[in-house]
Amino acid sequence: MKTILITGAAGDVGSHLRRELAGKYNLLLSDIKPIKALAAGEKSAPGDVAKISDMLRVTKDVDAIVHLGGFSVEGPWEMILRANIIGCYNLFEAARRNGVKRVLFASSNHATGFYQREEKIDHRVYPKPDSRYGVSKAFGEQIGSLYADKYGMEVFCMRIGNVAVAPPDKRRLSNWISPRDFARLVCVGIDNPNISFEIVYGVSDNKRSWYDNSNAHRLGYQPQDDAERYAAEVLAKEKPGDPRAEMYQGGNFVFAEIGGDPSRIPPKVGKARKSRKAPKPKKAPKPKKKK
Ligand code: 15L
C-alpha cells in the first residue's frame, strides 16, 4: 500500500480527506496543529511548512504528497508569504531532496478568481488571481511547473473550489466539490501513472460550473455529485450580493482589498462608475503682479 503524506491534515479539507481515503493508503498526517485521534493506518508527523528542516523530516519515505498546508483564505502578506510562498517552496524542495516524485498541490479557484462568471475556463487559461492568497496559489502552480520540468517531478495541481458536505451559497453551486469527489480526484492524482505536470479543477460535476474540467476527466476523474440538487434550498436563503462579487468567479475575494471604494467597481458593473464625476481641473495659480 502506498504511503501518502498529507500536509495541513488538521484542517477541514484534510479531515474530509482522511475519512475518505481511509483503508486506501497509509496516511502520514502533518500539520502545525496537533492531529486528533489517529485512526488505523494513520501516523502523525507534526511540522511547520515554513521550516525546511521540518519539511525534510516529514517528506522522508513517502510515495506521494498531498500538499494542503498553508493559509487557506485571504490574509496579511506576512502570513501568506510565510505559509504559502516559503511553505510551498520548502515542500517542493524537501520532496525533491528526499526523492519524492509525486506532489499533489492544493491550488485554488482563487488563482483564477478574476475571470468573470459568464466565462467558462479550462486548465489552459493563465492565472488571474483575485487576492494575495490567489497569487500564492498561482505561485505554487509555477513552482510545481519548475520542479516538473527541471527535476522530473510529477505534479498535479488542483484548483479547488469549495470542499463541503453541501454547497453553502449561490457561488458555491458553481465551484462546490463533495468530499467523496475530492477524494476521487486525489486518487487520480496519486495513482495515474502518466502525470508530469497537470492542472485540473477541484469541482464536482456541477450543472452551473464555470469550468471546462476536461483535463481532469481525461486523466480519469469521474465525479458523482452535482451541487444542483441543493440549488432550490441554497437559492431560497441567498441574499442579494455585492455586484462586484457577483460578477467574478472569486466572489468576495475580488474586492477584499479595495474596501468598498465605489470608484474601483469594475467598469462592466457600470452605474456607479459612470456617475462618478471627473475631478475638476485645478485652476492655474494667478501670475503675481510685478511690483
Ligand atoms: C478557497 O480556496 C478557500 O480555501 C476556501 O476556504 C473557500 O473560501 C474556497 O476557496 C471558495 O472559494 O469557496
Side-chain angles (χ1 to χ4, degrees):
M1 201 186 266
K2 288 178 183 168
T3 297
I4 309 299
L5 168 69
I6 303 179
T7 65
D12 269 7
V13 177
S15 307
H16 284 307
L17 202 56
R18 284 171 66 185
R19 188 188 62 243
E20 297 294 331
L21 295 185
K24 289 198 177 92
Y25 310 106
N26 296 317
L27 299 179
L28 185 61
L29 307 174
S30 184
D31 205 296
I32 198 167
K33 293 185 212 141
I35 305 277
K36 287 179 205 142
L38 292 177
E42 292 183 338
K43 279 189 186 152
S44 158
D48 177 356
V49 288
K51 292 187 183 149
I52 184 80
S53 52
D54 283 11
M55 290 304 100
L56 282 167
R57 175 173 44 77
V58 301
T59 56
K60 274 203 180 104
D61 301 323
V62 300
D63 296 297
I65 301 169
V66 183
H67 182 45
L68 305 176
F71 204 69
S72 68
V73 286
E74 180 60 321
W77 171 242
E78 291 68 31
M79 295 178 86
I80 299 286
L81 174 66
R82 184 180 193 282
N84 293 14
I85 304 281
I86 297 173
C88 196
Y89 172 78
N90 286 346
L91 186 281
F92 274 99
E93 179 56 15
R96 181 189 74 78
R97 289 199 219 162
N98 279 327
V100 185
K101 282 192 94 172
R102 182 70 58 109
V103 175
L104 284 67
F105 171 59
S107 183
S108 166
N109 70 95
H110 296 289
T112 50
F114 253 118
Y115 283 96
Q116 297 194 8
R117 293 187 185 187
E118 61 193 30
E119 295 172 274
K120 196 151 201 155
I121 59 174
D122 70 8
H123 58 290
R124 291 169 300 191
V125 298
Y126 60 84
K128 274 169 88 62
D130 56 24
S131 48
R132 288 183 290 271
Y133 168 68
V135 168
S136 74
K137 292 299 178 180
F139 170 85
E141 293 180 359
Q142 294 309 308
I143 278 277
S145 174
L146 174 70
Y147 275 62
D149 288 337
K150 192 167 272 206
Y151 305 115
M153 278 175 65
E154 300 167 346
V155 180
F156 189 70
C157 300
M158 304 172 286
R159 289 183 178 160
I160 303 170
N162 182 246
V163 186
V165 173
D169 56 25
K170 188 178 95 182
R171 180 174 157 268
R172 269 65 166 261
L173 293 176
S174 300
N175 77 6
W176 175 69
I177 183 164
S178 66
R180 59 185 194 155
D181 277 348
F182 182 58
R184 288 185 180 105
L185 185 63
V186 165
C187 291
V188 170
I190 293 172
D191 291 324
N192 184 314
N194 301 314
I195 286 171
S196 169
F197 174 78
E198 299 292 347
I199 291 178
V200 296
Y201 288 91
V203 291
S204 279
D205 189 19
N206 303 324
K207 187 174 166 219
R208 298 170 195 238
S209 180
W210 299 312
Y211 312 104
D212 166 355
N213 210 9
S214 48
N215 198 37
H217 301 154
R218 179 183 69 80
L219 294 164
Y221 176 49
Q222 294 183 323
Q224 304 294 306
D225 294 311
D226 179 349
E228 204 55 24
R229 66 180 271 235
Y230 301 96
E233 199 186 319
V234 165
L235 294 174
K237 289 188 297 199
E238 184 82 6
K239 301 209 172 79
D242 185 296
R244 294 163 296 184
E246 293 284 319
M247 188 173 167
Y248 292 103
Q249 296 179 2
N252 289 347
F253 281 61
V254 305
F255 67 93
E257 291 303 314
I258 57 180
D261 171 0
S263 69
R264 303 294 301 275
I265 294 176
K268 261 193 111 177
V269 180
K271 283 180 192 155
R273 182 130 186 168
K274 273 184 207 152
S275 64
R276 186 180 165 222
K277 284 180 189 154
K280 284 182 186 168
K282 280 185 188 159
K283 281 182 189 165
K286 282 181 187 165
K288 283 181 184 164
K289 279 180 192 166
K290 278 182 192 162
K291 283 181 184 168

mmCIF file of all heavy atoms in Angstrom, residues 12-13 71-74 106-111 130 133 137 160-163 168-169 171-172 175-176 211 249-251 253, ligand 1:
data_model
loop_
_atom_site.group_PDB
_atom_site.id
_atom_site.type_symbol
_atom_site.label_atom_id
_atom_site.label_comp_id
_atom_site.label_asym_id
_atom_site.label_seq_id
_atom_site.Cartn_x
_atom_site.Cartn_y
_atom_site.Cartn_z
ATOM 1 N N ASP A 12 -10.016 21.520 7.700
ATOM 2 C CA ASP A 12 -11.307 20.981 7.234
ATOM 3 C C ASP A 12 -11.148 20.015 6.074
ATOM 4 O O ASP A 12 -11.683 18.902 6.090
ATOM 5 C CB ASP A 12 -12.175 22.135 6.711
ATOM 6 C CG ASP A 12 -13.028 22.704 7.799
ATOM 7 O OD1 ASP A 12 -12.840 22.297 8.965
ATOM 8 O OD2 ASP A 12 -13.876 23.560 7.461
ATOM 9 N N VAL A 13 -10.417 20.474 5.056
ATOM 10 C CA VAL A 13 -10.265 19.652 3.851
ATOM 11 C C VAL A 13 -9.488 18.385 4.200
ATOM 12 O O VAL A 13 -9.845 17.278 3.779
ATOM 13 C CB VAL A 13 -9.560 20.458 2.733
ATOM 14 C CG1 VAL A 13 -9.317 19.600 1.502
ATOM 15 C CG2 VAL A 13 -10.392 21.688 2.360
ATOM 16 N N PHE A 71 -1.994 28.838 4.478
ATOM 17 C CA PHE A 71 -3.081 29.725 4.884
ATOM 18 C C PHE A 71 -4.179 29.604 3.833
ATOM 19 O O PHE A 71 -3.911 29.730 2.643
ATOM 20 C CB PHE A 71 -2.521 31.159 4.950
ATOM 21 C CG PHE A 71 -3.299 32.056 5.850
ATOM 22 C CD1 PHE A 71 -3.285 31.859 7.226
ATOM 23 C CD2 PHE A 71 -4.052 33.091 5.330
ATOM 24 C CE1 PHE A 71 -4.016 32.689 8.062
ATOM 25 C CE2 PHE A 71 -4.784 33.923 6.159
ATOM 26 C CZ PHE A 71 -4.766 33.723 7.526
ATOM 27 N N SER A 72 -5.434 29.375 4.258
ATOM 28 C CA SER A 72 -6.430 28.936 3.269
ATOM 29 C C SER A 72 -7.420 30.004 2.811
ATOM 30 O O SER A 72 -8.368 29.684 2.083
ATOM 31 C CB SER A 72 -7.197 27.735 3.819
ATOM 32 O OG SER A 72 -7.980 28.151 4.907
ATOM 33 N N VAL A 73 -7.205 31.235 3.222
ATOM 34 C CA VAL A 73 -8.054 32.342 2.727
ATOM 35 C C VAL A 73 -7.177 33.583 2.555
ATOM 36 O O VAL A 73 -5.977 33.529 2.802
ATOM 37 C CB VAL A 73 -9.211 32.667 3.713
ATOM 38 C CG1 VAL A 73 -10.299 31.610 3.678
ATOM 39 C CG2 VAL A 73 -8.698 32.846 5.131
ATOM 40 N N GLU A 74 -7.789 34.710 2.162
ATOM 41 C CA GLU A 74 -7.004 35.941 2.045
ATOM 42 C C GLU A 74 -6.519 36.353 3.432
ATOM 43 O O GLU A 74 -7.213 36.131 4.442
ATOM 44 C CB GLU A 74 -7.870 37.049 1.410
ATOM 45 C CG GLU A 74 -7.177 38.396 1.236
ATOM 46 C CD GLU A 74 -5.924 38.368 0.344
ATOM 47 O OE1 GLU A 74 -5.151 37.415 0.408
ATOM 48 O OE2 GLU A 74 -5.722 39.358 -0.390
ATOM 49 N N ALA A 106 -2.600 21.605 -3.568
ATOM 50 C CA ALA A 106 -3.933 22.200 -3.410
ATOM 51 C C ALA A 106 -3.889 23.655 -3.856
ATOM 52 O O ALA A 106 -3.669 24.562 -3.067
ATOM 53 C CB ALA A 106 -4.370 22.097 -1.950
ATOM 54 N N SER A 107 -4.092 23.855 -5.161
ATOM 55 C CA SER A 107 -4.271 25.217 -5.654
ATOM 56 C C SER A 107 -5.730 25.595 -5.370
ATOM 57 O O SER A 107 -6.433 24.885 -4.635
ATOM 58 C CB SER A 107 -3.941 25.285 -7.147
ATOM 59 O OG SER A 107 -4.044 26.618 -7.599
ATOM 60 N N SER A 108 -6.153 26.699 -5.925
ATOM 61 C CA SER A 108 -7.485 27.177 -5.562
ATOM 62 C C SER A 108 -8.154 27.860 -6.745
ATOM 63 O O SER A 108 -7.475 28.404 -7.638
ATOM 64 C CB SER A 108 -7.346 28.175 -4.410
ATOM 65 O OG SER A 108 -8.542 28.902 -4.230
ATOM 66 N N ASN A 109 -9.469 27.898 -6.697
ATOM 67 C CA ASN A 109 -10.232 28.677 -7.691
ATOM 68 C C ASN A 109 -9.846 30.163 -7.612
ATOM 69 O O ASN A 109 -10.065 30.900 -8.562
ATOM 70 C CB ASN A 109 -11.731 28.477 -7.490
ATOM 71 C CG ASN A 109 -12.262 29.122 -6.219
ATOM 72 O OD1 ASN A 109 -12.747 30.247 -6.237
ATOM 73 N ND2 ASN A 109 -12.165 28.440 -5.090
ATOM 74 N N HIS A 110 -9.232 30.582 -6.488
ATOM 75 C CA HIS A 110 -8.846 31.991 -6.364
ATOM 76 C C HIS A 110 -7.578 32.327 -7.157
ATOM 77 O O HIS A 110 -7.254 33.501 -7.308
ATOM 78 C CB HIS A 110 -8.723 32.373 -4.892
ATOM 79 C CG HIS A 110 -10.056 32.271 -4.197
ATOM 80 N ND1 HIS A 110 -11.078 33.164 -4.449
ATOM 81 C CD2 HIS A 110 -10.549 31.344 -3.344
ATOM 82 C CE1 HIS A 110 -12.142 32.808 -3.740
ATOM 83 N NE2 HIS A 110 -11.855 31.705 -3.071
ATOM 84 N N ALA A 111 -6.906 31.311 -7.706
ATOM 85 C CA ALA A 111 -5.800 31.582 -8.638
ATOM 86 C C ALA A 111 -6.353 32.130 -9.951
ATOM 87 O O ALA A 111 -5.642 32.766 -10.730
ATOM 88 C CB ALA A 111 -5.004 30.311 -8.897
ATOM 89 N N ASP A 130 -7.258 36.674 -7.534
ATOM 90 C CA ASP A 130 -8.160 37.713 -7.029
ATOM 91 C C ASP A 130 -7.707 38.266 -5.682
ATOM 92 O O ASP A 130 -8.437 39.031 -5.046
ATOM 93 C CB ASP A 130 -9.587 37.162 -6.922
ATOM 94 C CG ASP A 130 -9.681 35.908 -6.055
ATOM 95 O OD1 ASP A 130 -8.804 35.699 -5.190
ATOM 96 O OD2 ASP A 130 -10.637 35.131 -6.251
ATOM 97 N N TYR A 133 -3.773 35.716 -1.528
ATOM 98 C CA TYR A 133 -3.949 34.269 -1.403
ATOM 99 C C TYR A 133 -3.954 33.617 -2.795
ATOM 100 O O TYR A 133 -3.265 32.613 -3.027
ATOM 101 C CB TYR A 133 -5.260 34.009 -0.661
ATOM 102 C CG TYR A 133 -5.736 32.582 -0.684
ATOM 103 C CD1 TYR A 133 -5.034 31.590 -0.015
ATOM 104 C CD2 TYR A 133 -6.893 32.227 -1.374
ATOM 105 C CE1 TYR A 133 -5.470 30.278 -0.034
ATOM 106 C CE2 TYR A 133 -7.339 30.924 -1.393
ATOM 107 C CZ TYR A 133 -6.624 29.944 -0.727
ATOM 108 O OH TYR A 133 -7.046 28.642 -0.750
ATOM 109 N N LYS A 137 -1.355 30.871 -4.657
ATOM 110 C CA LYS A 137 -1.735 29.603 -5.282
ATOM 111 C C LYS A 137 -1.163 29.519 -6.702
ATOM 112 O O LYS A 137 -0.713 28.456 -7.146
ATOM 113 C CB LYS A 137 -3.252 29.445 -5.280
ATOM 114 C CG LYS A 137 -3.819 29.254 -3.869
ATOM 115 C CD LYS A 137 -3.257 28.005 -3.226
ATOM 116 C CE LYS A 137 -3.722 27.756 -1.816
ATOM 117 N NZ LYS A 137 -3.169 26.545 -1.232
ATOM 118 N N ILE A 160 -8.916 23.989 -6.416
ATOM 119 C CA ILE A 160 -10.062 23.513 -5.636
ATOM 120 C C ILE A 160 -11.097 24.629 -5.470
ATOM 121 O O ILE A 160 -10.748 25.789 -5.246
ATOM 122 C CB ILE A 160 -9.586 23.012 -4.254
ATOM 123 C CG1 ILE A 160 -8.525 21.915 -4.433
ATOM 124 C CG2 ILE A 160 -10.745 22.489 -3.424
ATOM 125 C CD1 ILE A 160 -7.818 21.516 -3.142
ATOM 126 N N GLY A 161 -12.357 24.241 -5.578
ATOM 127 C CA GLY A 161 -13.447 25.193 -5.299
ATOM 128 C C GLY A 161 -13.734 25.166 -3.808
ATOM 129 O O GLY A 161 -12.888 25.531 -2.998
ATOM 130 N N ASN A 162 -14.889 24.698 -3.435
ATOM 131 C CA ASN A 162 -15.267 24.655 -2.025
ATOM 132 C C ASN A 162 -15.560 23.211 -1.630
ATOM 133 O O ASN A 162 -16.535 22.621 -2.107
ATOM 134 C CB ASN A 162 -16.502 25.542 -1.823
ATOM 135 C CG ASN A 162 -16.935 25.606 -0.373
ATOM 136 O OD1 ASN A 162 -18.008 25.122 -0.033
ATOM 137 N ND2 ASN A 162 -16.126 26.170 0.482
ATOM 138 N N VAL A 163 -14.705 22.670 -0.755
ATOM 139 C CA VAL A 163 -14.918 21.288 -0.292
ATOM 140 C C VAL A 163 -15.858 21.358 0.909
ATOM 141 O O VAL A 163 -15.520 21.937 1.938
ATOM 142 C CB VAL A 163 -13.590 20.629 0.161
ATOM 143 C CG1 VAL A 163 -13.823 19.161 0.494
ATOM 144 C CG2 VAL A 163 -12.506 20.777 -0.891
ATOM 145 N N PRO A 168 -22.697 25.940 0.428
ATOM 146 C CA PRO A 168 -23.329 26.853 1.373
ATOM 147 C C PRO A 168 -24.034 28.055 0.756
ATOM 148 O O PRO A 168 -24.836 28.702 1.421
ATOM 149 C CB PRO A 168 -22.151 27.322 2.237
ATOM 150 C CG PRO A 168 -20.943 27.132 1.393
ATOM 151 C CD PRO A 168 -21.234 26.037 0.426
ATOM 152 N N ASP A 169 -23.730 28.412 -0.491
ATOM 153 C CA ASP A 169 -24.358 29.602 -1.093
ATOM 154 C C ASP A 169 -24.369 29.497 -2.618
ATOM 155 O O ASP A 169 -23.878 28.521 -3.182
ATOM 156 C CB ASP A 169 -23.649 30.892 -0.621
ATOM 157 C CG ASP A 169 -22.160 30.846 -0.929
ATOM 158 O OD1 ASP A 169 -21.768 30.134 -1.866
ATOM 159 O OD2 ASP A 169 -21.388 31.524 -0.225
ATOM 160 N N ARG A 171 -22.778 31.086 -5.034
ATOM 161 C CA ARG A 171 -21.485 30.998 -5.717
ATOM 162 C C ARG A 171 -20.956 29.565 -5.702
ATOM 163 O O ARG A 171 -20.419 29.062 -6.680
ATOM 164 C CB ARG A 171 -20.505 31.951 -5.037
ATOM 165 C CG ARG A 171 -19.153 31.952 -5.630
ATOM 166 C CD ARG A 171 -18.249 33.013 -5.024
ATOM 167 N NE ARG A 171 -16.912 32.586 -5.254
ATOM 168 C CZ ARG A 171 -16.186 31.861 -4.422
ATOM 169 N NH1 ARG A 171 -16.648 31.562 -3.228
ATOM 170 N NH2 ARG A 171 -14.992 31.464 -4.759
ATOM 171 N N ARG A 172 -21.135 28.909 -4.592
ATOM 172 C CA ARG A 172 -20.599 27.547 -4.457
ATOM 173 C C ARG A 172 -21.424 26.515 -5.243
ATOM 174 O O ARG A 172 -20.976 25.374 -5.389
ATOM 175 C CB ARG A 172 -20.507 27.162 -2.991
ATOM 176 C CG ARG A 172 -19.182 27.502 -2.338
ATOM 177 C CD ARG A 172 -18.898 28.979 -2.253
ATOM 178 N NE ARG A 172 -17.802 29.272 -1.357
ATOM 179 C CZ ARG A 172 -17.970 29.690 -0.092
ATOM 180 N NH1 ARG A 172 -19.180 29.925 0.382
ATOM 181 N NH2 ARG A 172 -16.928 29.926 0.666
ATOM 182 N N ASN A 175 -18.845 26.067 -7.841
ATOM 183 C CA ASN A 175 -17.474 25.557 -7.614
ATOM 184 C C ASN A 175 -17.377 24.519 -6.480
ATOM 185 O O ASN A 175 -16.289 24.180 -6.054
ATOM 186 C CB ASN A 175 -16.494 26.714 -7.382
ATOM 187 C CG ASN A 175 -16.593 27.321 -5.988
ATOM 188 O OD1 ASN A 175 -17.316 26.844 -5.117
ATOM 189 N ND2 ASN A 175 -15.856 28.399 -5.768
ATOM 190 N N TRP A 176 -18.517 24.019 -6.062
ATOM 191 C CA TRP A 176 -18.528 23.053 -4.960
ATOM 192 C C TRP A 176 -17.893 21.723 -5.363
ATOM 193 O O TRP A 176 -17.967 21.315 -6.534
ATOM 194 C CB TRP A 176 -19.985 22.805 -4.551
ATOM 195 C CG TRP A 176 -20.222 21.760 -3.501
ATOM 196 C CD1 TRP A 176 -19.894 21.823 -2.185
ATOM 197 C CD2 TRP A 176 -20.879 20.501 -3.694
ATOM 198 N NE1 TRP A 176 -20.307 20.679 -1.546
ATOM 199 C CE2 TRP A 176 -20.912 19.859 -2.446
ATOM 200 C CE3 TRP A 176 -21.444 19.849 -4.798
ATOM 201 C CZ2 TRP A 176 -21.487 18.598 -2.259
ATOM 202 C CZ3 TRP A 176 -22.013 18.593 -4.615
ATOM 203 C CH2 TRP A 176 -22.032 17.984 -3.360
ATOM 204 N N TYR A 211 -16.276 25.889 -15.108
ATOM 205 C CA TYR A 211 -15.035 25.251 -15.554
ATOM 206 C C TYR A 211 -15.292 24.165 -16.595
ATOM 207 O O TYR A 211 -16.211 23.374 -16.462
ATOM 208 C CB TYR A 211 -14.314 24.629 -14.347
ATOM 209 C CG TYR A 211 -14.208 25.589 -13.185
ATOM 210 C CD1 TYR A 211 -15.034 25.448 -12.068
ATOM 211 C CD2 TYR A 211 -13.341 26.673 -13.244
ATOM 212 C CE1 TYR A 211 -14.963 26.350 -11.015
ATOM 213 C CE2 TYR A 211 -13.276 27.578 -12.205
ATOM 214 C CZ TYR A 211 -14.089 27.412 -11.090
ATOM 215 O OH TYR A 211 -14.027 28.314 -10.058
ATOM 216 N N GLN A 249 -15.749 35.139 -10.568
ATOM 217 C CA GLN A 249 -15.761 33.786 -10.010
ATOM 218 C C GLN A 249 -15.247 33.751 -8.570
ATOM 219 O O GLN A 249 -15.701 32.954 -7.762
ATOM 220 C CB GLN A 249 -14.923 32.855 -10.908
ATOM 221 C CG GLN A 249 -15.520 32.702 -12.298
ATOM 222 C CD GLN A 249 -14.720 31.808 -13.222
ATOM 223 O OE1 GLN A 249 -13.708 31.245 -12.839
ATOM 224 N NE2 GLN A 249 -15.177 31.677 -14.456
ATOM 225 N N GLY A 250 -14.308 34.636 -8.247
ATOM 226 C CA GLY A 250 -13.711 34.635 -6.904
ATOM 227 C C GLY A 250 -14.600 35.209 -5.818
ATOM 228 O O GLY A 250 -14.236 35.177 -4.638
ATOM 229 N N GLY A 251 -15.754 35.780 -6.185
ATOM 230 C CA GLY A 251 -16.677 36.315 -5.176
ATOM 231 C C GLY A 251 -16.033 37.417 -4.349
ATOM 232 O O GLY A 251 -15.327 38.276 -4.871
ATOM 233 N N PHE A 253 -13.527 37.654 -2.566
ATOM 234 C CA PHE A 253 -12.068 37.817 -2.600
ATOM 235 C C PHE A 253 -11.665 38.936 -3.571
ATOM 236 O O PHE A 253 -10.620 39.536 -3.394
ATOM 237 C CB PHE A 253 -11.389 36.518 -3.051
ATOM 238 C CG PHE A 253 -11.274 35.465 -1.983
ATOM 239 C CD1 PHE A 253 -12.396 34.937 -1.379
ATOM 240 C CD2 PHE A 253 -10.038 34.977 -1.593
ATOM 241 C CE1 PHE A 253 -12.300 33.951 -0.402
ATOM 242 C CE2 PHE A 253 -9.920 33.993 -0.622
ATOM 243 C CZ PHE A 253 -11.051 33.476 -0.028
HETATM 244 C C1 15L B 1 -10.594 28.546 -1.107
HETATM 245 O O1 15L B 1 -9.558 28.489 -1.750
HETATM 246 C C2 15L B 1 -10.570 28.509 0.366
HETATM 247 O O2 15L B 1 -9.522 27.722 0.870
HETATM 248 C C3 15L B 1 -11.885 28.065 0.947
HETATM 249 O O3 15L B 1 -11.881 28.402 2.316
HETATM 250 C C4 15L B 1 -13.089 28.692 0.241
HETATM 251 O O4 15L B 1 -13.086 30.038 0.532
HETATM 252 C C5 15L B 1 -12.984 28.421 -1.241
HETATM 253 O O5 15L B 1 -11.753 28.814 -1.755
HETATM 254 C C6 15L B 1 -14.106 29.112 -2.049
HETATM 255 O O6 15L B 1 -13.821 29.851 -2.986
HETATM 256 O O7 15L B 1 -15.255 28.849 -1.760
#
